[in-house]
Amino acid sequence: NAGVTQTPKFRVLKTGQSMTLLCAQDMNHEYMYWYRQDPGMGLRLIHYSVGEGTTAKGEVPDGYNVSRLKKQNFLLGLESAAPSQTSVYFCASSSGTKGSEQFFGPGTRLTVL
Amino acid sequence: GQSLEQPSEVTAVEGAIVQINCTYQTSGFYGLSWYQQHDGGAPTFLSYNALDGLEETGRFSSFLSRSDSYGYLLLQELQMKDSASYFCAVMGDYKLSFGAGTTVTVRA
């Protein structure tokens, strides 16, 4: 039982390049989330999904796209990376019950030059 | 939208008690959660309060007052391993909005 996994763990991009971050969970959770965390700040919600085939915008969605084609996977895409997207990205999942714990992946450290 | 306020840093010695306060303003409130994050690690869930009062889990307790839009996390019998960042987060419509975090440093 791996919980929530993220690939890759580290990545360096040049401005304008694209990439996809993959999140996978094996807990059969309905809800999945993508956050970014910058130094001295809490986690900010980028996009989230309340079930397979659904996505919704969070607090800071600009410059990102997501897809949830399978219940266990949630992909975060950067179409044209910018230095402002340098951050640590965390994926999380939960059962969706109000107050239910969110389980976080180990994070992806992304640097955009 | 949501806004949460919590102190940025707290330092205490081993064995001491630390209280981390969190005040919030939100449109749509279901409850207050607390997460712990060690340096370089992922956030992990500590507690959730939906109703007023105190919830105790081992050395950690969490309190909520909905009328005051206020909560706190109480860390007792501090240990070195408790050195970490602690985030309060408001739960609304299955989404969490996080505060900026409180860095707790435990000294010997």
Side-chain angles (χ1 to χ4, degrees):
Chain A
N1 193 341
V4 180
T5 58
Q6 293 182 232
T7 52
K9 287 186 170 51
F10 302 92
R11 185 73 185 267
V12 177
L13 290 179
K14 294 181 179 179
T15 298
Q17 287 185 318
S18 64
M19 77 164 294
T20 300
L21 282 68
L22 172 62
C23 176
Q25 53 96 2
D26 62 2
M27 296 174 282
N28 201 35
H29 283 164
E30 290 291 336
Y31 288 67
M32 296 187 75
Y33 311 84
W34 275 108
Y35 295 91
R36 60 176 290 172
Q37 186 174 33
D38 301 297
M41 301 182 71
L43 294 99
R44 291 184 291 168
L45 183 64
I46 304 171
H47 287 280
Y48 65 102
S49 168
V50 300
E52 182 178 314
T54 75
T55 63
K57 293 180 180 180
E59 183 186 356
V60 288
D62 294 343
Y64 306 94
N65 56 76
V66 288
S67 65
R68 182 103 181 266
L69 298 180
K70 292 183 179 181
K71 185 177 184 178
Q72 64 267 35
N73 296 335
F74 195 29
L75 279 63
L76 177 71
L78 287 73
E79 289 185 348
S80 179
S84 61
Q85 294 178 304
T86 293
S87 189
V88 180
Y89 292 85
F90 287 100
C91 174
S93 72
S94 75
S95 64
T97 305
K98 282 188 173 59
S100 61
E101 173 180 356
Q102 288 193 11
F103 294 83
F104 284 80
T108 295
R109 190 172 296 274
L110 175 66
T111 301
V112 183
L113 302 176
Chain B
Q2 275 90 353
S3 72
L4 297 94
E5 294 284 337
Q6 55 180 125
S8 58
E9 295 181 25
V10 173
T11 300
V13 297
E14 273 187 299
I17 299 174
V18 161
Q19 179 173 315
I20 303 170
N21 298 321
C22 175
T23 57
Y24 59 87
Q25 290 183 322
T26 180
S27 55
F29 176 83
Y30 293 106
L32 189 69
S33 296
W34 289 91
Y35 283 77
Q36 179 192 59
Q37 184 180 30
H38 285 100
D39 197 29
T44 56
F45 175 83
L46 290 177
S47 67
Y48 175 71
N49 294 66
L51 303 176
D52 286 0
L54 190 68
E55 297 275 349
E56 298 180 73
T57 308
R59 294 186 296 111
F60 294 179
S61 303
S62 56
F63 172 83
L64 175 65
S65 168
R66 294 174 70 110
S67 61
D68 293 325
S69 296
Y70 164 76
Y72 66 72
L73 179 69
L74 193 69
L75 315 180
Q76 301 181 79
E77 301 172 20
L78 274 178
Q79 301 176 7
M80 297 299 288
K81 66 180 182 179
D82 298 329
S83 291
S85 292
Y86 294 82
F87 297 90
C88 59
V90 166
M91 168 64 74
D93 289 335
Y94 305 110
K95 296 180 293 180
L96 282 175
S97 295
F98 285 83
T102 299
T103 300
V104 173
T105 302
V106 182
R107 297 192 301 196

